Each structure stands twice: as C-alpha cells, then as structure tokens.
C-alpha cells in the first residue's frame, strides 16, 4: 500500500493559483516512475523552476484513473516527495524509474487494458519567433496495469493484432508539435484569434484529439499532453541580395474524413472532404532577442472535390472507374463544405479546379461537369459579394506544352488572387504578440462576439487606416532600420483540387506560393519589387520545398511520391529519365492502393477513434472495406461526446452547424455564407440527401461575382483598366479560341493566357491605388508590376508578356 506521505501528493493545498501558473508555464520534459499500484509522472518546465506530479492508477485495467497534484514544487521538494513514495512502497518493490519522456500522446484501450503512449525522443525541426517546433523521434506504448492485475484479454490474439495495427501509424514520420505555439493553427489565428488549449485540441488538425480526450477531460488542462499535427513541416534559411530570411512551409492534414486514396474520396454528409490539407507559408527575418520582428504568412487549401463520388480499389485496373452518386440533389454537403471554408478563412472562397475537361472515356470530366453544376446551384442563392469564385482549368491539357507556360499562367492567376484575399503581415515582439496591439482584437477581449476572419478583417483595416498617420518611413527595412507599416490580414482562401489533390495541385500551390513569396519579401523590405522571376535561384529553392511537401503528402494519401513532370522539365531533366521515374511512381501508387491501403485505413481509424473494438463484436478486419461501412454489427463509431453514431463515413464530431432541409429558404442559405461565426460543434450535419441530382448546364448560366475585397473599391484597385481586365458583366468567361471547357466567373482567361504587353497602352489611376489595401506593402506601382505585368517583356516573369483580349 502507498504511504500517507505518497497520498499527500494529491491533497496538498496550493496557495498559488494553479490555472494562473498553467497559462504562463508549459512543461517540456517528464520522468516516469512506477510502483506496483501507480505510475508517477514528474514534469518540469524548460527553466527547471516549475515541477508538477501526475498519478496514474494501475490496479483497475478497465478504467482510466488519473489524478493531478495541484502543488507546484521546486526541484528539491519534488525529489523529496519521490523519496517518501519509495520508502512507503519498499515492501512491494519500491519506486522504480521507467523512462524519460517529452509528453503524453494519449491513452487507448482495445479489448483489454489501457495503454499509455509516450514520446521518448524528440528532435527540433524549426522555430517560429522563438517557439520551438519538434518532431517525434521515438515513442513507446506502455500498458497501465502491472502484471498481477493484467486482464485475461491483454495477451489475446486480437488484442495483439490491434496493438500491431496501431503501431503501423508511425509517429516518427511527419508528425510535429510545439509546447508553446499552437502549431495546429495558422500564424494569423495564433496572434489574433487564438483558442484556449482545450479548444485548440479539438480543431481538425490535431490527430491525437481522441487519444488525449480522456486525460484532458479528467484534468481539464493540457499540461501533460502534446497536440500532434500530421502533414509536413520544413524550415529553411534562404537569402536575397545577402539578406537572410527564414521560410517555413507547413502542411496540416485534417483528421476529419481522413484516410487513403481510394477509400476516402469526395465529401461526407457533414461537408468534410478527403485529403483536406491546409498549407501555410511563413516568412520572417531573424533579429536579435528583444527586438520586434516583422513576420508574414499566406494560407492556401487543397481538398477532394466536394461531391459524393468514389473509386473501387482494383487489382486489375490501374485506373478504376469514377462512380458519381446522385444522392445529394441540392448539394447540401457541398454547401456545408464551403460554409466551413468561409468560417475558417473568411471570404472570398476561390476555387481552382484542375481536372480534365475532355477524355476519350469520361472519367474526370464527369466530376468536372457535376462540380460546375454544384457551384452554379449554390451561387444562385448568394449575393454577388458572397458568391464562390471559380476557375476551371485543365492543367493536364496545357502541360503538354512548355512547363514555363503553365507556371506563368498559374502565377499570373495567383498574383491576382492575392489582391482578393490579401495576406497576413504584422510586427511581433519576442513573446509573439502584436507590437501595435491597439489595431487588433486580442482573444481574451473577443468574448462571444463574431470575430470571424471576414469581420475582424474589416475592423482591422479601419483601425489600420486610422493609425496610418502614426506610421512613418518607406516600406524598406534595410540596415536594421525598421519602418513601421500597418498590419494586414488574409481574408478568404484559394482552394485547389485535381482528382487526387496531389500532383497537379502541388504544381498550382507552388505557383501560388511563389507569387505570395514575392509579396511577402516586399512587405518585409527585403525586395524592392513583388515579382520573383522563374529563373531566379529563389524560385528553384522554393520549388524544392514544395516538391518535398508534395512527395510527403502524396506518400500519406496515395502511397508513392508525387509526379513532378512540370518541375522536372523546369530543371531541364532528361525527358526519358523523367518518364521512367513517373512510370515507376505510378506502379508504386497502384501497388500501395491495391494491397496496402486497407490495413493503412484500419490503422488510421483506430488511431483516430473512428473504430473502437468491443469484446464479443466482430473485429475491424472482419468487416467490409472502409468505403462500404454502414454501421454493421460490431462497428462502433463514436462522436466527440462518446455517443454511438452510425454514419456513411468515419467522422468524429461536427465542425459545421446544422442546416435546414434542402428546400430551406434562400435567405437562410445566404446567411450561412454571410455570417462567419465559429461553427456550432454540438449540432449535426444536414440529412437533406436524395437519390437524384439536377441537370444544370453551368456553362450556359449567368453567374455574378465580386472581384475586390469588401474594404477596397474596384476603381481604387485597378482604375480605368478594370473595364478590360475586371469582369464587369455577369457572365462566365471562356477562352476566345473556342475552349468552352476552361471557364471562370472572376478572372478573364483570355487576359491570363494572352501574349503581349498589357500595360503599354493602358491608362492607370496610379495615385489612388491601394491606399488601404489588405495586401501588405503594395503600392500602385506594385500592383501594375506584380499583377498586370511590366512594360519590358520577359518570358520568365509573371504577367510580363500578357495582354488583355479586346472585349468591346
């Protein structure tokens, strides 16, 4: 039995407020000890001044019993407590050291006892303004009960198989975390809309939300756990004209509707799509400690086409047929998806759809037409300023030409999209707080109000304009002489997709990242212009980063590295070698999809808690493939409150508010896109699904749109030139040369694709451009040069050889 002194570690009153300590301190290193009846975990902060004790019961194999000592100890007091625990348990073996660890990943139970997952080795992979980011180097799974009380099921055949299945989720590959920075959130969210730790764990990008749910509910804090994000993290030091800067590329994979290529396609009933990945590009300069830092970021999104569609895994067919379901006549799931994007990123939502438009045997083109129908159907109920912007562009068709032409087109499109969404820029102190705090709403002052991206974008722009008279100097930060510019935020997002959202999507995301990088470096004062030439070494370095990210994301979802035909051509690689490499990757992806993905999907479902084994019920591997789960016997799916659910697809809680019936009023549908409040997690998704879909010809429909951000008048952005480049009619625009399959409702494709100089003969209102633009650091000259091209033609510059088509 434990001594009374040992029990006191749970009962000592702490005069200091525990919650106050927790908000200012994070523990980063832990030591695990065991007695016959308990585990004791000792945690401390980085400075070794803050020590806490956690007690985990080992006698009840079926329940998770955890108690936290509310006392904050010194190092000496903590080790004196451990000595007393050892003395009190000498008769049963005393206190034994188990392992050093760096955080609890979570607890899990299969058919027998609970297991504790620990990070036992870590490595630093980067830092964001002094906040270290780590990857997992080694982890261990430790059963909680001691051998004398071990359950009879602990060593059963199925129990061991579940343990092996869970271990196939390799936490040492592409999982990352931070103790002091919410790496599951964007930089903009961290600074101006930061969530409490408990809420942050429930976001869509924390993959161990289920595993940590038990301990978080017991303790009502996250001091002992780490939030694991799955995807990609790479930080590199790059240089322009002798000035170094840090570029961080982050990809966050959603845990909702997560899985492998052919087993997770399209959308589920709650609007969550497969292969949903948020990509963030952060740029800043390292400065001495204590000085404010300028920092900037841009976020983009990729995700499966938000329709009900699937492909059957086939060992005989390397390209299985695409099956399009007609169950959602009113595109309610599609609508839910885009409502969630508005809630996450604000408006506008800009869709870049890269799938094929013409095929000998229709496959992708089936989805192309249906996706266009869905967008048209949703847009009909929305006002112009709230409508979805889209660009359908067959990248595969256009990639048959020069890779440079593809990247020029995408780069020019990306530069224009940046004028619609803006990007995030501000100055922060070493504590990662905005220096000009009066222009921004802190999270603790937000309360229950609407602080969605769209709303606080408008608030901040108003404050920035008011403060503009207090800022002085030019836009350069040369020689350490930092000139202060008003902060800006991103409102809206570019959402890119192809079929798998891997290969073509990664090319488009690189083009967008390159266009954004030019503006980011200009905002930091590192570059005088907003353009980065495709032949610039910086463009090649960024391509390497995006290529590595593409390979990583492709391995996770598709089973092989990504196809890099366009990147390889840009590097001048031998065509035969490129074709051989692409063929090998196709075979590798086929083998993985046909033979490996079923077990991989099972492991993901167990890790995320989508399937929870129960004694006496069929095992996971005895059920049909994940694609066909319908809540059959033995399948237990639970929501975030532990209630049993039986749904078409594995999903673990609502990220969207409940909608009305498919025939709900138009103003209700419009209100969901207009209001950007955070989603109600307690309500379910729409059930308004039917067995047929409407036949709507998108290409013949009138679609309205709005090209400019709410805080900027159109004429202020483009002056008189808008009559040629900004689409003032309410029609969809196609190529003039008879291509009725590539179309957009927000940008003129003839202008994007034309050659010639677009600026030489066009008048501009230079003096009135962008005085309050949400794009950091953009002057009128920058808009002309960066978005619409320069007067000197160059085949390697975005938009420099483009000329608008005459639309008289």
């Amino acid at each position: 039995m434990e001594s009374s002194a040992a029990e006191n570690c749970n009962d000592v009153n702490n005069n200091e407020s525990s919650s106050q300590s927790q908000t200012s301190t994070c523990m980063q290193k832990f030591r695990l000890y065991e007695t016959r009846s308990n585990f004791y975990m000792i945690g401390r902060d980085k400075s070794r001044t803050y020590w806490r004790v956690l007690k985990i019961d080992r006698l009840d194999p079926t329940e998770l019993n955890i108690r936290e000592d509310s006392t904050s100890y010194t190092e000496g007091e903590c080790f004196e407590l451990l000595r007393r625990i050892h003395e009190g348990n000498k008769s049963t073996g005393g206190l034994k050291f188990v392992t050093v660890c760096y955080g609890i990943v979570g607890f899990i139970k299969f058919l027998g006892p609970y297991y504790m997952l620990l990070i036992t080795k870590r490595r630093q992979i980067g830092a964001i303004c002094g906040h270290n980011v780590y990857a997992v180097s080694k982890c261990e799974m430790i059963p909680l009960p001691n051998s004398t009380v071990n359950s009879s099921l602990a060593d059963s055949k199925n129990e061991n198989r579940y343990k092996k299945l869970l271990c196939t989720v390799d936490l040492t590959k592409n999982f990352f975390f931070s103790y002091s920075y919410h790496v599951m959130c964007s930089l903009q969210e961290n600074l101006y809309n930061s969530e409490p730790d408990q809420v942050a764990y429930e976001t869509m990008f924390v993959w161990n939300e289920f595993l940590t749910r038990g301990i978080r509910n017991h303790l009502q804090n996250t001091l002992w756990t780490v939030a694991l994000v799955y995807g990609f993290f790479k930080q590199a030091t790059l240089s322009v004209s002798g000035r170094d800067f840090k570029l961080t590329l982050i990809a966050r994979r959603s845990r909702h509707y997560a899985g492998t290529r052919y087993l997770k396609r399209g959308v589920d009933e709650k609007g969550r799509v497969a292969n949903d990945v948020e990509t963030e590009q952060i740029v800043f300069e390292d400065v001495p400690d204590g000085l404010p830092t300028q920092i900037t970021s841009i976020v983009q999104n990729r995700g499966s086409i938000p329709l009900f569609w699937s492909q059957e895994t086939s060992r005989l067919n390397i390209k299985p047929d695409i099956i399009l379901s007609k169950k959602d006549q009113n595109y309610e799931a599609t609508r839910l998806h885009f409502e969630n994007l508005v809630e996450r990123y604000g408006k506008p939502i800009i869709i870049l759809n890269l799938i094929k438009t013409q095929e000998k045997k229709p496959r992708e083109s089936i989805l192309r037409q249906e996706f266009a129908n869905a967008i048209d159907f949703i847009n009909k109920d929305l006002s112009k300023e709230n409508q979805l912007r889209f660009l359908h562009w067959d990248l595969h068709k256009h990639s048959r030409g020069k890779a440079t032409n593809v990247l020029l087109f995408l780069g020019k499109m990306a530069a224009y999209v940046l004028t619609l969404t803006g990007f995030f820029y501000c100055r922060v102190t070493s504590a990662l707080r905005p220096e000009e705090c009066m222009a921004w709403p802190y999270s603790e002052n937000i309360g229950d109000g609407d602080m969605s991206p769209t709303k606080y974008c408008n608030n901040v722009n108003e404050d920035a304009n008011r403060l503009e008279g207090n800022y002085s100097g030019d836009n350069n930060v040369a020689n350490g002489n930092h000139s202060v510019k008003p902060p800006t935020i991103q409102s809206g997002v570019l959402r890119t997709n192809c079929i798998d959202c891997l290969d073509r999507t990664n090319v488009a995301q690189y083009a967008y990242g390159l266009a954004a990088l030019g503006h980011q470096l200009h905002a930091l004062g590192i570059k005088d212009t907003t353009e980065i030439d495709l032949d610039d070494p910086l463009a090649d370095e960024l391509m390497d980063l995006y290529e590595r990210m593409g390979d990583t994301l492709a391995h996770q979802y598709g089973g092989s590295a990504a196809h890099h035909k366009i990147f390889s051509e840009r590097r001048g690689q031998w065509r035969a070698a490129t074709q051989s490499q692409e063929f090998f990757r196709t075979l590798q992806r086929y083998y993985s999809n046909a033979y490996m993905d079923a077990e991989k999907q099972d492991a993901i479902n167990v890790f995320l808690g989508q399937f929870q084994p129960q004694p006496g019920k069929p095992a996971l591997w005895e059920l049909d493939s994940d694609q066909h789960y319908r809540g059959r016997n033995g399948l237990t799916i639970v929501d975030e409150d532990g209630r049993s659910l039986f749904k078409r697809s594995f999903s673990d809680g609502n990220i969207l508010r409940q909608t009305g019936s498919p025939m709900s009023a138009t103003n209700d549908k419009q209100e969901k896109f207009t209001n950007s409040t955070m989603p109600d997690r307690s309500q379910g998704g729409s059930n308004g699904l039917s067995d047929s879909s409407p036949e709507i010809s998108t290409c013949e429909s009138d679609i309205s749109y709005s090209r400019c951000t709410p805080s900027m008048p159109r004429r202020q952005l483009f002056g008189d030139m808008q009559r040629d480049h900004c689409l003032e009619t309410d029609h969809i625009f196609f190529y003039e040369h008879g291509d009725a399959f590539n179309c957009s409702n927000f940008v003129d494709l003839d202008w994007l694709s034309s050659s010639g100089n677009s600026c030489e003969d066009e008048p501009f209102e230079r003096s009135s451009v962008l005085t309050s633009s949400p794009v950091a650091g953009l002057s009128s000259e920058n808009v002309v040069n960066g978005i619409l091209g320069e007067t000197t033609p160059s085949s390697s510059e975005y938009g420099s050889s483009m000329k608008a088509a005459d639309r008289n």
Side-chain angles (χ1 to χ4, degrees):
M1 297 295 292
E2 305 285 346
S3 68
S4 58
E7 294 299 330
N8 286 341
C9 78
N10 299 287
D11 301 322
V12 175
N13 292 324
N14 183 19
N15 294 328
E16 181 182 4
S17 171
S18 175
S19 60
Q20 185 178 9
S21 299
Q22 292 170 11
T23 58
S24 58
T25 307
C26 59
M27 297 192 295
Q28 300 191 17
K29 192 170 183 179
F30 307 85
R31 294 175 66 89
L32 184 68
Y33 300 85
E34 66 174 348
T35 65
R36 188 173 181 179
S37 56
N38 290 294
F39 279 113
Y40 292 92
M41 182 171 285
I42 310 300
R44 66 168 175 84
D45 65 352
K46 191 174 183 179
S47 63
R48 305 177 69 97
T49 59
Y50 179 83
W51 297 72
R52 298 291 294 271
V53 180
L54 187 71
K55 179 180 175 181
I56 305 169
D57 181 70
R58 303 186 68 191
L59 296 178
D60 189 347
T62 62
E63 296 294 332
L64 185 62
N65 296 316
I66 304 174
R67 299 176 68 184
E68 181 184 37
D69 187 348
S70 61
T71 304
S72 298
Y73 293 94
T74 64
E75 184 172 2
E77 292 170 341
C78 193
F79 282 98
E80 172 61 21
L81 177 64
L82 292 177
R83 187 191 65 77
R84 292 162 60 191
I85 294 174
H86 175 70
E87 292 294 330
N89 288 274
K90 276 189 174 180
S91 61
T92 55
L95 183 72
K96 299 176 182 178
F97 172 74
V98 179
T99 185
V100 171
C101 61
Y102 297 92
I104 298 175
V105 173
F107 296 84
I108 192 168
K109 182 179 185 296
F110 305 118
L111 300 172
Y114 272 94
Y115 300 87
M116 177 167 53
L117 280 70
L118 301 175
I119 297 172
T120 53
K121 287 186 180 180
R122 69 183 184 188
R123 63 186 185 278
Q124 185 178 341
I125 55 176
I128 301 174
C129 292
H131 296 259
N132 293 339
V133 179
Y134 299 92
V136 180
S137 295
K138 186 179 179 182
C139 60
E140 292 186 20
M141 183 166 63
I142 300 174
L144 290 192
N146 62 52
S147 56
T148 62
V149 295
N150 219 347
S151 168
S152 60
L153 293 172
D155 297 319
S156 70
K157 181 179 179 181
N158 282 355
E159 179 79 3
N160 288 329
R161 185 167 178 179
Y162 277 120
K163 286 194 291 185
K164 290 180 180 179
L165 184 65
L166 183 71
C167 290
T168 62
V169 179
D170 191 349
L171 298 183
T172 66
K173 291 183 178 179
N174 311 129
F175 284 90
F176 51 94
F177 65 95
S178 176
Y179 298 105
S180 56
Y181 179 82
H182 284 173
V183 75
M184 75 289 291
C185 301
S186 69
L187 179 69
Q188 180 171 304
E189 291 175 303
N190 267 287
L191 287 173
Y192 300 118
N193 200 23
S194 182
E195 299 284 3
D197 287 347
Q198 282 279 53
V199 177
Y201 268 76
E202 296 168 4
T203 61
M204 61 193 298
F205 300 120
V206 177
W207 272 58
N208 60 332
E209 184 279 330
F210 165 72
L211 296 177
T212 60
R213 193 182 300 166
I215 183 173
R216 288 186 293 110
N217 289 341
H218 271 83
L219 306 181
Q220 292 299 304
N221 68 53
T222 59
L223 278 174
W224 304 88
T225 58
V226 296
L228 292 180
V229 179
Y230 186 41
F232 178 84
F233 185 101
K234 179 64 178 177
Q235 189 167 80
T237 300
L238 306 178
S239 180
V240 174
S241 302
R243 290 184 63 179
D244 292 343
F245 65 91
K246 289 285 183 66
L247 189 146
T248 307
L249 188 61
I250 306 173
R252 304 176 181 94
R253 180 176 295 280
S254 172
R255 63 182 169 88
H256 297 301
Y257 202 46
T260 56
R261 186 185 181 200
Y262 287 141
L263 296 177
K264 291 297 181 193
R265 289 294 214 192
V267 69
D268 70 4
E269 287 92 342
K270 297 173 183 177
R272 297 176 290 205
V273 296
N275 199 19
D276 189 342
V277 180
E278 175 183 279
T279 300
E280 182 177 22
Q281 182 173 293
I282 302 174
V283 181
F284 63 92
E285 274 190 295
D286 274 334
V287 297
D289 291 342
L291 292 179
T293 302
Q294 291 187 113
I295 191 166
T296 175
S297 79
I298 185 75
V299 172
Q300 54 181 317
N301 176 264
R302 70 172 74 185
S304 189
I305 296 173
L307 301 169
F308 288 102
W309 63 282
S310 61
Q311 283 180 282
E312 298 286 347
T313 304
S314 172
R315 297 184 179 181
L316 303 176
N317 186 359
I318 201 168
K319 285 189 173 183
D321 290 338
I322 290 175
I323 303 169
L324 177 63
S325 172
K326 295 182 179 295
K327 63 185 293 186
D328 191 3
Q329 179 177 357
N330 291 286
Y331 303 107
E332 285 301 314
T334 308
R335 188 190 309 277
L336 285 171
H337 172 68
F338 287 116
E339 286 176 12
N340 178 248
L341 288 183
V342 172
E343 289 163 352
R344 285 157 59 185
Y345 303 112
K347 295 170 288 189
I349 302 300
I350 302 166
I351 302 161
L352 176 58
N353 178 26
L354 302 173
I355 62 177
K356 297 176 183 177
T357 56
Q358 291 177 297
E359 301 166 291
K360 292 181 180 179
K361 179 182 179 181
R363 293 177 66 256
E364 295 186 16
S365 54
I366 297 173
L367 292 177
R368 155 66 177 85
Q369 182 61 47
E370 189 68 6
F371 194 18
N373 289 345
I375 295 171
D376 185 22
F377 189 86
I378 293 170
N379 273 347
K380 286 181 181 297
D381 294 325
L382 300 174
S383 61
K384 289 185 179 182
E385 62 271 15
N386 291 324
Q387 284 188 342
L388 303 172
R389 325 287 178 90
F390 65 82
L391 169 57
H392 300 291
W393 193 69
D394 186 344
L395 188 146
H396 181 268
K397 174 183 175 182
H398 293 279
S399 65
R400 296 171 186 171
K402 290 185 177 181
T404 300
N405 295 337
V406 172
L407 293 175
L408 282 172
F409 179 96
L410 292 172
K412 191 173 184 183
M413 179 277 304
Y416 175 63
V417 168
L418 283 167
T419 69
L420 301 180
T421 65
F423 59 89
F424 178 70
Y425 162 85
C426 78
R427 299 218 304 170
V428 296
T429 64
S430 57
L432 202 61
R433 279 293 182 224
E435 190 179 37
E436 295 297 332
C437 58
M438 64 180 122
W440 297 89
Y442 281 107
S443 58
E444 56 263 35
N445 297 326
I446 290 174
D448 297 326
D450 178 8
M451 288 314 302
S452 58
T454 301
K455 182 168 183 179
Y456 74 71
C457 173
N458 295 333
N459 292 341
V460 169
N461 281 329
E462 291 174 4
D463 288 338
N465 291 335
R466 174 176 56 80
L467 292 169
E468 193 167 344
N470 297 328
Y471 294 99
S472 60
D474 55 25
N475 288 338
N476 295 323
V477 197
N479 302 320
N481 182 19
H482 292 260
S483 300
V484 181
K485 295 186 293 292
T488 64
I489 73 163
Q490 177 179 346
S491 179
V493 74
L494 175 66
R495 182 203 192 274
T496 306
N497 72 265
C498 48
I499 282 295
D500 297 320
C501 302
L502 298 176
D503 312 316
R504 287 168 283 182
T505 295
N506 205 58
V507 172
Q509 289 208 328
Y510 160 69
Y512 188 68
L514 184 61
L517 180 59
H519 288 283
Q520 290 176 291
L521 293 177
H522 181 261
L524 298 178
I526 296 176
K527 280 180 62 69
D528 294 330
T529 67
T530 58
E531 301 123 358
I532 299 177
D533 195 292
L534 283 174
D535 294 324
D536 192 310
L538 191 59
D540 291 334
E541 292 174 310
L542 187 69
M543 184 186 293
D544 289 339
L545 289 174
Y546 272 84
E547 187 173 34
R548 292 179 64 177
M549 180 184 75
D551 285 340
T552 299
L553 297 179
H555 272 294
Q556 294 167 5
Y557 182 66
S560 77
H563 293 286
H564 296 303
K565 175 186 173 184
I566 291 178
F567 290 165
S568 298
E569 183 180 327
R570 275 295 303 164
R571 293 193 180 95
Q573 292 180 211
W574 186 34
R575 183 180 293 271
T578 299
Q579 291 174 342
S580 176
Q581 182 185 63
E582 298 298 289
F583 179 70
F584 173 76
R585 289 180 177 178
T586 298
L587 292 180
Q588 185 181 18
R589 193 172 292 184
Y590 160 74
Y591 178 82
S592 178
N593 299 157
Y595 297 95
M596 309 291 291
D597 279 3
E599 181 174 323
K600 185 176 177 181
Q601 185 69 58
D602 286 345
I604 291 172
N605 291 335
V606 170
F607 185 87
L608 294 177
Q610 309 303 342
F611 179 90
Q612 298 180 32
Q614 290 185 338
K617 297 293 182 67
L620 179 59
W621 43 86
E622 296 172 354
L623 301 172
D624 287 348
S625 68
D626 181 84
Q627 191 177 24
H628 302 292
Y629 284 149
R630 294 290 191 276
R632 299 177 181 179
N633 292 335
L635 177 63
T636 301
I637 310 172
V638 297
D639 66 5
E640 296 192 6
D641 297 319
R643 297 186 297 269
S644 294
L645 297 174
F646 298 96
K647 294 291 184 183
R648 166 185 174 273
S649 58
F650 289 102
S651 53
D652 56 342
N654 303 326
I655 59 171
L656 301 170
R657 68 169 68 88
Q658 187 173 10
T659 64
S661 67
M663 303 305 293
S664 58
T666 299
N667 59 348
D668 291 336
K669 296 175 182 176
Q670 182 169 324
E671 182 181 359
K672 293 169 188 173
F673 276 88
T674 304
N675 297 332
S676 299
T677 54
M678 293 303 294
D680 184 352
R681 299 174 184 269
S682 63
Q683 299 183 21
S686 170
N687 295 320
L689 306 177
S690 65
D691 295 327
S692 61
S693 63
E695 296 181 359
I696 301 174
S697 176
T698 305
C699 294
E700 296 178 358
S701 303
D702 290 342
I703 293 204
S704 55
Y705 59 89
S706 173
R707 277 195 70 182
C708 52
T709 55
S711 60
M712 189 182 348
R714 294 187 191 183
R715 292 188 61 83
Q716 186 178 355
L717 177 60
F718 282 101
D720 292 337
M721 188 163 180
Q722 65 184 345
R723 289 191 295 271
D724 294 294
H725 295 313
C726 301
L727 312 184
E728 293 292 349
T729 70
D730 287 339
H731 297 286
I732 298 175
F733 279 72
F734 311 95
Y735 280 125
E736 284 193 343
H737 303 292
D739 187 350
F741 296 94
N742 296 296
C743 58
S744 174
N745 70 340
F746 79 100
V747 64
D748 190 333
L749 296 184
D750 287 319
W751 168 64
L752 284 179
S753 303
S754 62
S755 61
N757 190 324
S758 62
C759 298
E760 193 167 347
D761 301 318
E762 303 286 356
F764 290 91
E765 298 177 2
R766 295 177 182 266
S767 61
S768 62
V769 178
L770 291 176
T771 56
S772 60
S773 170
V775 184
L778 284 181
S779 64
S780 60
E781 183 178 356
N782 296 331
V783 172
V784 174
N785 294 339
I787 310 303
L788 302 180
E790 291 184 338
T791 58
T792 305
S794 169
S795 62
S796 300
E797 289 187 359
Y798 291 145
S800 58
S801 60
M802 308 296 183
K803 183 174 178 65
D806 184 6
R807 310 207 57 83
N808 292 334

